[in-house]
Amino acid sequence: MHIIKTIPAIRLLLHKARSRKKKIGFVPTMGALHQGHLSLIKKSRKENGLTVISIFVNPAQFSAGEDYRTYPRDKKKDVLLAKNEKVDIMFYPSAKDIYPDRYLTYVDVEDITDILCGRSRPKHFRGVTTVIGKLLNIIDPDTLYLGQKDAQQNVVIKQMVRDLNFPVKVKVLSTVRDPDGLAISSRNQYLSTRQRIEAPVLYQSLCLAKQKILQGSHSAALITRLIQTTIERKSSGKVEYVACVDADSLRRLKVLKGKILIALAVRFQKARLIDNITFQVR
Ligand code: AMP
């Protein structure tokens, strides 16, 4: 595995690969690799001649007072895990490489970034689209692999790809969960023992909601209330939002019909957890 730190070096390496007609799959991450990331890598390996992962804790997507400084970082373990998955190239830039002095340009997707997670995380998605846009320009992959866990991020990135004509195919893969249903996340490390025992209620409440909807309960208001009360009764988590939206446009739904996304964010003191499910309602 090549571990590459600079933009000119990765450009050169990928130029050579491209001239050998290799398809390039790209998995952007913030490191602290886990099974969720590894599932994206495995898929990329299966579908491409060359897999690139990036490890970059992106300062631009953290708001003031968030966990940029304390975000889990473990380069040694990440290198081991990536080598084990036979990643071809790990791109490991510094913040100064990505945002040099007098950096002034940002990519801002409108409208769908102010809702859901965007409400409590102003400028978060602007940071995400800026760094993903830059990484797409640097790596120029054939396919970009993303996880369903970050549902709003995926819709925002797809919008940017469409609006700015990035020549890349975007693939979203299922959320990988621990055996008790908790979506795997680097931030699960922030949970106390008791909070970790309680946290599977997020997914349980989403599954309960899905069951009710498929049995014919189509009122978004009733379903969001059901999820909120289930979580607050069974855990110490504080619900930041629960929303039933159209899975492609993120438009709020009153009546649950079509391809729906139910997304939520819950705060357990230090840990802010997100989860979602998406399915078709006839
Ligand atoms: P992150 O390192 O948290 O920025 O995530 C990098 C990529 O991995 C994003 O596309 C995430 O959606 C994806 N990802 C994170 N956790 C999971 C998971 N549990 N299952 C599937 N994909 C995930």
Side-chain angles (χ1 to χ4, degrees):
M1 183 175 78
H2 298 273
I3 302 174
I4 305 288
K5 293 200 152 170
T6 71
I7 296 168
I10 194 159
R11 282 216 158 114
L12 185 64
L13 198 57
L14 288 171
H15 178 72
K16 285 182 192 156
R18 229 171 272 117
S19 63
R20 279 183 266 124
K21 302 267 182 271
K22 291 214 176 196
K23 288 267 178 234
I24 299 171
F26 175 44
V27 180
T29 83
M30 297 210 296
L33 297 183
H34 53 60
Q35 289 301 325
H37 301 120
L38 301 191
S39 75
L40 305 182
I41 293 171
K42 284 183 209 297
K43 185 73 166 176
S44 171
R45 285 259 308 138
K46 220 179 261 172
E47 296 185 343
N48 299 277
L50 193 136
T51 290
V52 182
I53 76 165
S54 61
I55 297 205
F56 182 62
V57 183
N58 174 28
Q61 71 187 68
F62 288 79
S63 306
E66 288 189 346
D67 55 344
Y68 174 65
R69 293 208 174 282
T70 54
Y71 191 83
R73 290 166 173 89
D74 192 343
K75 185 176 177 188
K76 258 196 190 155
K77 189 172 161 206
D78 287 347
V79 167
L80 269 177
L81 286 171
K83 275 188 178 164
N84 214 26
E85 293 299 332
K86 303 199 167 54
V87 165
D88 299 284
I89 302 176
M90 178 186 271
F91 183 44
Y92 211 106
S94 70
K96 270 269 178 279
D97 279 321
I98 298 294
Y99 303 111
D101 289 342
R102 275 198 52 73
Y103 187 87
L104 295 172
T105 306
Y106 293 86
V107 180
D108 205 350
V109 174
E110 296 182 350
D111 198 35
I112 52 174
T113 51
D114 306 329
I115 53 174
L116 310 178
C117 287
R119 267 181 193 245
S120 67
R121 306 190 73 191
K123 300 203 178 159
H124 167 69
F125 290 109
R126 183 180 94 136
V128 170
T129 41
T130 299
V131 82
I132 296 294
K134 285 171 67 77
L135 290 168
L136 289 176
N137 279 335
I138 293 164
I139 290 160
D140 191 17
D142 295 280
T143 309
L144 172 67
Y145 293 87
L146 305 171
Q148 175 60 33
K149 173 158 176 289
D150 295 86
Q152 184 177 12
Q153 175 169 295
N154 299 339
V155 175
V156 170
I157 290 173
K158 282 181 179 171
Q159 184 76 42
M160 174 190 75
V161 163
R162 201 174 320 137
D163 290 350
L164 297 184
N165 309 97
F166 283 97
V168 68
K169 195 164 163 195
V170 180
K171 286 204 177 174
V172 175
L173 307 190
S174 317
T175 301
V176 178
R177 299 178 180 281
D178 276 334
D180 59 9
L182 178 64
I184 299 179
S185 162
S186 312
R187 288 191 168 102
N188 291 351
Q189 300 180 23
Y190 298 154
L191 295 168
S192 69
T193 309
R194 180 165 152 237
Q195 290 165 346
R196 176 62 190 82
I197 292 168
E198 295 172 351
V201 74
L202 271 60
Y203 186 53
Q204 286 160 13
S205 71
L206 290 168
C207 292
L208 177 66
K210 179 176 176 182
Q211 195 188 333
K212 293 276 180 216
I213 294 165
L214 296 180
Q215 284 166 358
S217 180
H218 288 179
S219 154
L222 283 181
I223 291 296
T224 50
R225 206 171 314 135
L226 170 70
I227 294 170
Q228 175 147 2
T229 52
T230 304
I231 293 171
E232 290 185 342
R233 250 193 294 115
K234 294 191 179 166
S235 79
S236 53
K238 299 272 173 291
V239 175
E240 187 184 291
Y241 73 82
V242 179
C244 299
V245 298
D246 176 85
D248 296 321
S249 66
L250 301 183
R251 250 184 322 102
R252 280 260 181 189
L253 297 172
K254 282 193 176 144
V255 179
L256 302 175
K257 232 180 182 324
K259 193 173 160 203
I260 69 163
L261 168 73
I262 311 179
L264 53 78
V266 177
R267 186 169 282 285
F268 287 87
Q269 290 173 318
K270 260 174 72 185
R272 179 183 177 279
L273 304 186
I274 57 170
D275 203 349
N276 68 81
I277 49 170
T278 180
F279 55 98
Q280 190 75 34
V281 186
R282 285 174 212 291

